[in-house]
Amino acid sequence: MNTNTQNDSGGSKARGMLRAAGRGFVLAVVSLPLAVLCFTLTLVSIALIPIGVGLVTTPWVLTGVRTFANRRRVLAAEWGGVRIPAAYRPTPEDANPWTRTFTMLRDPATWRDLRWLPVDMTAGFLTALLPAVLVLYPLEGFALAAGLWRTMTGGPYVEYGPYWYGFVPVSDQTSAFGAAALAAVVLIVAHRYAVTLFHVHFRLTRAVLSPSESELAERVRVLTETRRDAVDTSAAELRRIERDLHDGAQARLVAVGMDLGTVEMLVDKDPEKAKQLLAHARRSSADALAELRDLVRGIHPPVLAERGLGDAVRALALRLPTPTEVTVELAGRADAPVESAAYFAVSEVLTNAVKHSGADRIWIDLHHADGHLRISVTDNGKGGAAVGTGSGLTGVERRLGTFDGVLAVSSPAGGPTMVTMEIPCVLS
């Protein structure tokens, strides 16, 4: 039983050695040209920013660099068991080139990726290739002992003297056996350390790509702020609901009760007056029911729960006095909290557009790509909208921030105004 266990362990280590060699070879051969290409294109694109060309190309190039780095993070987790967190700041997809370029260049994670590329081209390439070298190099030593030494030292190679395998000069069968002995030692080293050396590559990658403590502290600070904003928003929403119930439906229902009490006293004495009070009570109860429905719709619209974000936004657009065109490209539904946040954010933006923009046309676009829900609201109004000017966009930004979402506003004087919202999420 112990012998079988040892055989299984030896076979497992041999398979691990071969797997590390194969994966390391593929990684080295593929990653080197891609790293050189990404690094070169990035340098050229950034250098072209002053003449304007780089403003267009840099976001695309940096997105490619991020994709390359993220792919390495995935391989580090799958092949090496090494987790490398990504800490990119979100960038609105529909923002103008100037905003996208400098948002990405101000992100410390961008420069961390660019520092990693030269490391991956040099030390990363060697650490990935070394397990394959340790596994493949012994094959040459065994081939020399099997007779290849005659080919490597005879014929046109005679004038070059012995053939060196490592530090062993091979010129006859005896020295060829010495090369085979060295190959066996190298193979033993590969059997024992190939997997460990392969993991060194990913540990090196983690050392360069992992976010710093200051970035993690900043991330904690942002999460703390968004949590506080979420709590404040929830408390304000509860106060609004309480106020609306107290001043609206509750007051109407109290009045209905008083009217019904009066009807009881007048039903025999003055039937006509009692009928009038009953009609008034019926209208008051209908008004109270309508207010309760509006209140429930303000908490969580039924159409949002039943039919999803796309149809809820379409229903919202139908109630606007301004003609609104809605385009929806969603292959599924996001989580309910995300849909709710997106719906009310769109509602607030549309309210601002109707009240302040003077637009006679509004366009809404909803789509999901690259793990993000992206919503843009565009109007042909007078422009001039900005976050923090009392337009309500600050509240929208806070609402989205609870879900790591971002808000971008492009609203030059004279219009048009485009408000872009982006929330990371998956669709089910």
Side-chain angles (χ1 to χ4, degrees), residues 67 158 382:
T67 302
V158 173
K382 61 185 179 182

Side-chain angles (χ1 to χ4, degrees), residues 382-387 389 391 393 409-412 417 419:
K382 61 185 179 182
V387 179
T389 60
S391 62
L393 293 176
V409 180
S410 175
S411 184
T417 295
V419 179

